[in-house]
C-alpha cells in the first residue's frame, strides 16, 4: 500500500510540473500584452507631441480603449500562475498560529470557495462572450471599434484557469509532499 501511495505521489509531482509549466507559459502572454500597453501609450504620446509641433500625424486611434482592454489579459492570464505559486494575497495573521491540520482545513475551505466562485464567473464569462459574438458587439467609444468577444473569452478562460489552480492547490495540499513554493515569502 505504501509503495502504491509513493508511486501516486510521483505521478502527482510529474503532473504538477507539467501544469506549472503550462500555466507559466500562458502567463507570458500577460507580459506581452503589458508590452503592448506600453507601446500603444508611447506611440500615442509621441504622435500627439509631433502633432502639437506641426507634423501631420496624430496619436494612436482608440488608444484609451486599447489600453483598457489589454488590461484584461494582463490580469487574468497571470492570476492563475500567481495563485499556483501561492503568491496571491493571503492574510494569515491568525491562521499561522493554528496547528498544521487546522491550517490545511482552512486552506482547503478557501480553495474550494475560490474554485466555485471562479468557475461561476468563468461560466458567466463564456455566456457573455457568446452574446458579444452573436451581436457582433464592438468597442465604439472613439469610433474605431474592435470586437469585444475575444476579451470576454480571455476573461472566461482566465477564470477557468484560476478555478483549476484552486483545485490543483487542494491536490498539492494533500498529495504532493515536496511543495515548498511560497514559503520564502
Amino acid at each position: 500500500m505504501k509503495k502504491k501511495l509513493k508511486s501516486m505521489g510521483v505521478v502527482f509531482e510529474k503532473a504538477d510540473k507539467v501544469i506549472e509549466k503550462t500555466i507559466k507559459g500562458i502567463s507570458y502572454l500577460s507580459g506581452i500584452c503589458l508590452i503592448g500597453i506600453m507601446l500603444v501609450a508611447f506611440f500615442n504620446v509621441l504622435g500627439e507631441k509631433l502633432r502639437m509641433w506641426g507634423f501631420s500625424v496624430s496619436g494612436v486611434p482608440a488608444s484609451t480603449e486599447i489600453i483598457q482592454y489589454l488590461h484584461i489579459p494582463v490580469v487574468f492570464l497571470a492570476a492563475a500562475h500567481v495563485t499556483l505559486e501561492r503568491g496571491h494575497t493571503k492574510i494569515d495573521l491568525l491562521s499561522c498560529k493554528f496547528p498544521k491540520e487546522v491550517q490545511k482545513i482552512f486552506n482547503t475551505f478557501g480553495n474550494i470557495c475560490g474554485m466555485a466562485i471562479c468557475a461561476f464567473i468563468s461560466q458567466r464569462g463564456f455566456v457573455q462572450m457568446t452574446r458579444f459574438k452573436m451581436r457582433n458587439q464592438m468597442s465604439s467609444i472613439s469610433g474605431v471599434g474592435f470586437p469585444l468577444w475575444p476579451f470576454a473569452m480571455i476573461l472566461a478562460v482566465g477564470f477557468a484557469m484560476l478555478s483549476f489552480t484552486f483545485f490543483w492547490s487542494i491536490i498539492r495540499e494533500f498529495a504532493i509532499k515536496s511543495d515548498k513554493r511560497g514559503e520564502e515569502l
Side-chain angles (χ1 to χ4, degrees):
M1 182 70 167
K2 281 188 176 184
K3 192 174 188 178
K4 188 173 184 175
L5 285 176
K6 190 174 182 177
S7 68
M8 286 298 291
V10 170
V11 169
F12 280 126
E13 286 181 16
K14 286 181 181 180
D16 185 56
K17 287 178 183 176
V18 169
I19 289 167
E20 194 173 334
K21 281 183 181 181
T22 303
I23 297 288
K24 187 175 185 178
I26 292 170
S27 74
Y28 287 142
L29 294 173
S30 180
I32 291 169
C33 290
L34 197 55
I35 291 169
I37 288 172
M38 180 191 67
L39 291 174
V40 168
F42 173 77
F43 285 114
N44 185 49
V45 170
L46 183 66
E48 292 297 326
K49 292 293 181 187
L50 289 175
R51 186 173 60 102
M52 283 176 40
W53 292 334
F55 292 97
S56 62
V57 295
S58 64
V60 177
S63 62
T64 304
E65 283 181 285
I66 293 169
I67 290 171
Q68 177 183 352
Y69 284 106
L70 280 177
H71 277 91
I72 293 170
V74 166
V75 171
F76 293 108
L77 294 180
H81 176 63
V82 171
T83 300
L84 197 61
E85 290 297 317
R86 294 188 181 162
H88 61 283
T89 304
K90 190 175 187 179
I91 301 171
D92 61 352
L93 185 66
L94 257 39
S95 65
C96 68
K97 308 286 187 212
F98 295 151
K100 291 290 182 190
E101 293 305 314
V102 176
Q103 287 181 21
K104 277 188 175 186
I105 291 168
F106 278 112
N107 288 342
T108 302
F109 178 73
N111 286 330
I112 289 170
C113 289
M115 181 177 62
I117 291 167
C118 290
F120 176 74
I121 294 172
S122 175
Q123 186 270 335
R124 298 307 305 161
F126 282 115
V127 169
Q128 188 67 30
M129 179 200 70
T130 304
R131 286 183 185 152
F132 283 165
K133 197 165 184 171
M134 287 174 56
R135 295 177 186 159
N136 197 24
Q137 191 146 356
M138 307 287 274
S139 71
S140 60
I141 293 174
S142 63
V144 179
F146 49 86
L148 291 179
W149 71 265
F151 297 98
M153 181 184 72
I154 290 170
L155 181 127
V157 168
F159 270 107
M161 289 183 346
L162 192 54
S163 180
F164 174 76
T165 56
F166 279 120
F167 167 74
W168 194 251
S169 293
I170 296 170
I171 300 285
R172 278 182 163 180
E173 189 82 38
F174 294 100
I176 301 173
K177 301 298 181 201
S178 64
D179 187 23
K180 298 291 182 199
R181 283 171 281 284
E183 291 182 7
E184 67 274 353
L185 295 177

